[in-house]
Amino acid sequence: MKVALFGAGGKVGSVLGPGLEAGGHELVELGEAEAMIDFTVPEAVEANVLAALEQDVPCIVGTTGWDPARAGSVAAERGLQLFVAPNFAIGAVLMMRLAAEAARFFPDAEIVELHGEGKKDAPSGTARATAELLPGEPVIHSVRLPGLVAHQEVLLGGKGQLLTIRHDAFSREAYVPGVLLALERLRSLPPGLTLGLATLLEA
């Protein structure tokens, strides 16, 4: 597939570009693209998505810290797909699913998410999405330090015990399989906004 990659020079994009090519896809400019992928920054992502939709190009977005509702409405009006996920690491999605299951028995939970110092949004999109799966309004602790990539743990407390469910991404290569899966399924999704890699794992 011909893919326009926004953020190709960034931390994720620099790994994702070679991963897409290794998966048999061709990186092209937006005017030639059959799909657009965005891993940029919150300030730029909506304009990038709207530009792609205006050219009838469906989109995959891994950028967090923005509200995709408006772009989702535009996508639906144009009969195009907009797939947005806060995390493309399959292990992270499984961590969220396991935490939601565990919370049925351990409703008292807090979330600790750790990322590199350059990550602009806090809490992370993954942490916010995890919190939505848990009862109540769990506290989220955000850590930004050099040397970190993407890490999250959910701590679930019970009398005399603690259950910890943790996922660590040590390299941004962890996101490549999830993006390839989204690209494979993109055209089969309904028009408009689809949220979360879990929707593809359940398909």
Side-chain angles (χ1 to χ4, degrees):
M1 186 182 295
K2 294 181 178 180
V3 179
L5 177 58
F6 283 62
K11 292 179 179 179
V12 175
S14 61
V15 173
L16 184 55
L20 288 167
E21 292 178 326
H25 302 286
E26 180 184 356
L27 298 181
V28 298
E29 297 298 320
L30 183 58
E32 307 171 61
E34 300 170 277
M36 186 275 268
I37 298 174
D38 186 290
F39 278 85
T40 57
V41 293
E43 308 84 60
V45 58
E46 184 171 18
N48 293 340
V49 170
L50 292 175
L53 295 174
E54 286 173 6
Q55 297 192 45
D56 292 325
V57 179
C59 303
I60 295 170
V61 178
T63 306
T64 59
W66 70 297
D67 183 355
R70 176 177 169 230
S73 296
V74 173
E77 290 169 5
R78 300 185 70 92
L80 297 169
Q81 296 82 8
L82 170 58
F83 179 79
V84 177
N87 199 315
F88 279 86
I90 292 173
V93 175
L94 295 175
M95 175 266 298
M96 294 167 64
R97 183 180 295 178
L98 293 170
E101 175 66 18
R104 293 173 51 213
F105 306 94
F106 293 85
D108 297 311
E110 296 196 8
I111 299 167
V112 182
E113 58 95 354
L114 309 94
H115 287 81
E117 76 279 20
K119 184 167 179 61
K120 297 190 176 182
D121 56 318
S124 69
T126 301
R128 290 194 302 270
T130 305
E132 291 174 2
L133 298 174
L134 303 179
E137 297 182 0
V139 174
I140 301 174
H141 306 272
S142 297
V143 177
R144 299 289 178 267
L145 289 172
L148 297 171
V149 177
H151 316 266
Q152 179 174 297
E153 59 184 22
V154 182
L155 298 99
L156 304 108
K159 291 184 178 180
Q161 58 186 317
L162 175 71
L163 173 62
T164 302
I165 301 173
R166 181 177 174 113
H167 177 261
D168 296 281
F170 300 109
S171 163
R172 291 168 180 86
E173 291 174 344
Y175 307 131
V176 174
V179 174
L180 290 174
L181 175 62
L183 198 54
E184 176 187 330
R185 301 276 180 86
L186 184 61
R187 290 286 185 177
S188 67
L189 296 175
L193 178 63
T194 299
L195 287 171
L197 195 63
T199 59
L200 303 185
L201 299 181
E202 293 164 1

